[in-house]
Amino acid sequence: MAQEKSYKYVIVGGGVAGGYAAMEFNNQGVKPGELAIISKESVPPFERPELTKAYINPETNPTLATIYVPSATGGEKQYAKWYKDRGIDLHVSTEIVKADLASKTLVSDDGTIFKYQTLLIATGSTFIKLSEIGIQEADIKNIYYLREVEDLDDIAGAMEFYIQNGKSVVIGGGFLGIELSASLRANNHEVTMVFPEPWLLHQLFTPEIASFYEGYYANKGIKIIKGTVATGFSSNSNGDVSEVKLDDGTTLEADMVVVAIGGKPVTSFFKGQLEEEKGGIKTDGFLKTSNPDVYALGDVATFPMKMYGGMRRVEHADNARKSAVQAVKAIKAAEEGKSIPEYDYLPYFYSRFFKLSWEFYGDNVGESVLFGDNDPKSPKPKFGTYWVKDGKVVGVFLEGGTPEENKAIAKIAREQPSVESLDVLSKEGLSFATKL
Ligand code: FDA
């Protein structure tokens, strides 16, 4: 007979949001036996962004434990023992394959039935495969995707050991493509990036910001091919990838390929049971879904963006952390008949690669104003961009900022000060933010 387990709270998904939700349940005094986390991954929740930063960095080369949640925000690291000591059941290597929200039942891949009173969905995203956009890659080896720790172990194994100093092609010019290219280059690979957009990180960067990073990458020996897409691959007699074919008819030699063309939220087994919007599970300002006993957190949630109006789904770690905390606070407050303020999220994105490090806060809409030293050859480049809409600063990007300066730009994005003219911003540069 199938095993049945019953909990007051169940979190499906042991990633960033799942880990931070457990942290907040602990802060709120969850009792032993009340909470379970069910995770497809074989390890406790960790800070996923560090996979392409610290985890495969040949200089730091840390163990996974150094990036367990909540290391990014400085709290006590949640080792497997942390969960055990608190009576929180962490079911790793356990995939939920069926959910029946009407009977409050989940079923895992080994047939275990999990019953809950309140469910938190934190299943995150998964990568989009080339085959989903019509490109055949089946049966060709050394083509990699990245999401989970095993994916990064496979990539690290290939780049450091069996394809040493090889030719790598990175397909995609977004966050992951940029960070992974730096790691490959740091491992002495000959790296070419290919993407269809006209510049790097097209959804966030202005052409001026991108031009700095493209110049910097060129100086590092990374080749960037823009405005074209991969259409297929050739392989050698071992079945290893040997060439990437591009839609302009040219080919690139390749010993390994990393594909980073975007992600999609993992919501399939809740289909038809919850309202959806913009590809995610629709929530209110407490991360509560259309079912009052079900909450959605992190990448899967489409929530009201209080600052800007409308609904947004945000595939970034900061939102995963904060939405998780908000949901747990809302659940506990509701139990006590209290209310808490609605989620008021300020978008925050960041990245680190080579010796560079940038942060962005707010909204990248309206007119943009560049300031500072954005010469890719500068020994210590430091520059940024303000976005101005309706006479107010609504977004700020800063490369090379100190923690205090990054705090200052976050404050600007939150407070949205008025600005006399774009010229003022351009002349004052970073001091416009730091003097506030
Ligand atoms: P997350 O993906 O972290 O966790 C989802 C969990 O649910 C996983 O453990 C998964 O296995 C599990 N799961 C899924 N289906 C399941 C099922 N059916 N049963 C059980 N478990 C299931 N963001 C950023 O702001 N800055 C950055 O620099 C980066 N860098 C970065 C690098 C890399 C390599 C990746 C892959 C992603 C980033 N991100 C990022 C994005 C960021 O990591 C992402 O937004 C958060 O991890 C989202 O947290 P979630 O908890 O929603 O999903």
Side-chain angles (χ1 to χ4, degrees):
M1 218 182 87
Q3 214 191 348
E4 188 172 307
K5 293 175 188 286
S6 190
Y7 297 94
K8 187 168 183 191
Y9 313 106
V10 168
I11 304 169
V12 188
V16 178
Y20 276 79
M23 178 193 79
E24 188 57 26
F25 269 119
N26 178 57
N27 293 342
Q28 300 271 341
V30 75
K31 295 194 184 71
E34 283 188 336
L35 171 64
I37 306 177
I38 305 169
S39 182
K40 189 159 72 65
E41 285 180 282
S42 58
V43 292
F46 61 90
E47 304 281 1
R48 197 168 308 282
E50 293 304 317
L51 286 181
T52 39
K53 298 177 183 69
Y55 187 66
I56 61 163
N57 181 336
E59 283 168 23
T60 54
N61 212 11
T63 64
L64 190 69
T66 56
I67 58 168
Y68 281 166
V69 161
S71 54
T73 51
E76 185 187 350
K77 237 174 262 173
Q78 297 173 190
Y79 295 87
K81 187 176 179 315
W82 182 92
Y83 297 91
K84 204 164 173 231
D85 287 349
R86 286 156 182 80
I88 298 171
D89 284 356
L90 178 61
H91 300 275
V92 292
S93 305
T94 306
E95 182 172 3
I96 294 301
V97 290
K98 216 171 129 198
D100 179 33
L101 302 186
S103 63
K104 297 189 160 192
T105 305
L106 308 169
V107 182
S108 67
D109 46 357
D110 69 356
T112 305
I113 293 166
F114 292 90
K115 303 284 266 182
Y116 63 84
Q117 293 173 37
T118 302
L119 175 66
L120 294 88
I121 303 173
T123 42
S125 305
T126 186
F127 47 71
I128 296 172
K129 292 203 84 171
L130 286 171
S131 54
E132 293 173 54
I133 57 167
I135 301 168
Q136 280 318 308
E137 47 157 326
D139 304 328
I140 299 185
K141 288 185 273 181
N142 298 336
I143 299 179
Y144 298 93
Y145 291 85
L146 54 161
R147 183 81 203 172
E148 304 199 341
V149 66
E150 288 82 1
D151 303 325
L152 271 293
D153 283 340
D154 287 349
I155 292 172
M159 81 179 177
E160 290 171 21
F161 301 108
Y162 55 91
I163 312 181
Q164 275 179 2
N165 308 330
K167 291 188 172 67
S168 294
V169 175
V170 175
I171 301 178
F175 283 89
L176 301 193
I178 294 172
E179 291 180 5
L180 224 277
S181 296
S183 298
L184 287 159
R185 189 69 198 118
N187 278 276
N188 297 318
H189 278 232
E190 223 176 88
V191 183
T192 306
M193 295 181 75
V194 184
F195 51 88
E197 295 86 7
W199 63 81
L200 273 180
L201 200 53
H202 187 249
Q203 75 268 34
L204 175 65
F205 287 175
T206 62
E208 293 79 19
I209 297 176
S211 137
F212 165 81
Y213 294 105
E214 289 172 10
Y216 191 95
Y217 269 40
N219 294 340
K220 290 279 183 193
I222 296 175
K223 195 171 159 199
I224 295 182
I225 303 177
K226 303 184 261 187
T228 188
V229 290
T231 53
F233 303 93
S234 307
S235 55
N236 62 23
S237 54
N238 294 330
D240 297 330
V241 70
S242 59
E243 265 182 356
V244 179
K245 299 177 191 165
L246 303 182
D247 73 344
D248 60 7
T250 58
T251 55
L252 299 169
E253 276 183 65
D255 302 309
M256 70 183 276
V257 172
V258 180
V259 184
I261 56 169
K264 54 180 185 185
V266 178
T267 56
S268 54
F269 51 93
F270 300 106
K271 283 265 175 263
Q273 302 187 66
L274 294 170
E275 274 180 41
E276 291 187 40
E277 195 167 329
K278 297 191 170 163
I281 300 171
K282 186 178 173 188
T283 76
D284 63 13
F286 306 101
L287 285 311
K288 194 197 289 179
T289 69
S290 52
N291 179 322
D293 298 317
V294 180
Y295 290 71
L297 344 166
D299 284 7
V300 294
T302 303
F303 58 88
M305 185 61 90
K306 202 169 171 202
M307 278 193 76
Y308 310 123
M311 302 285 286
R312 288 196 198 176
R313 197 172 66 74
V314 178
E315 274 185 23
H316 289 278
D318 181 59
N319 171 58
R321 298 178 189 122
K322 291 181 176 150
S323 62
V325 169
Q326 169 75 0
V328 176
K329 281 191 170 145
I331 290 166
K332 296 303 279 184
E335 284 174 3
E336 292 162 17
K338 295 184 188 151
S339 69
I340 60 164
E342 285 186 271
Y343 193 40
D344 187 8
Y345 185 63
L346 172 70
Y348 164 50
F349 312 141
Y350 62 93
S351 192
R352 298 194 310 272
F353 39 87
F354 292 119
K355 299 265 180 259
L356 302 175
S357 167
W358 61 257
E359 300 203 0
F360 166 84
Y361 293 88
D363 222 7
N364 59 331
V365 293
E367 288 179 277
S368 63
V369 182
L370 184 75
F371 61 86
D373 173 11
N374 70 330
D375 180 350
K377 290 202 174 109
S378 279
K380 249 188 159 230
K382 184 164 185 169
F383 71 97
T385 293
Y386 293 105
W387 279 263
V388 179
K389 192 173 170 231
D390 302 330
K392 290 177 173 179
V393 180
V394 294
V396 196
F397 172 94
L398 183 60
E399 165 61 52
T402 62
E404 292 72 34
E405 289 163 347
N406 287 329
K407 241 187 228 161
I409 65 164
K411 189 163 175 241
I412 289 273
R414 169 66 74 184
E415 292 181 3
Q416 302 191 342
S418 299
V419 58
E420 254 170 66
S421 73
L422 302 186
D423 280 350
V424 170
L425 276 181
S426 160
K427 268 193 214 114
E428 291 194 11
L430 185 56
S431 66
F432 178 86
T434 50
K435 76 179 183 204
L436 258 192

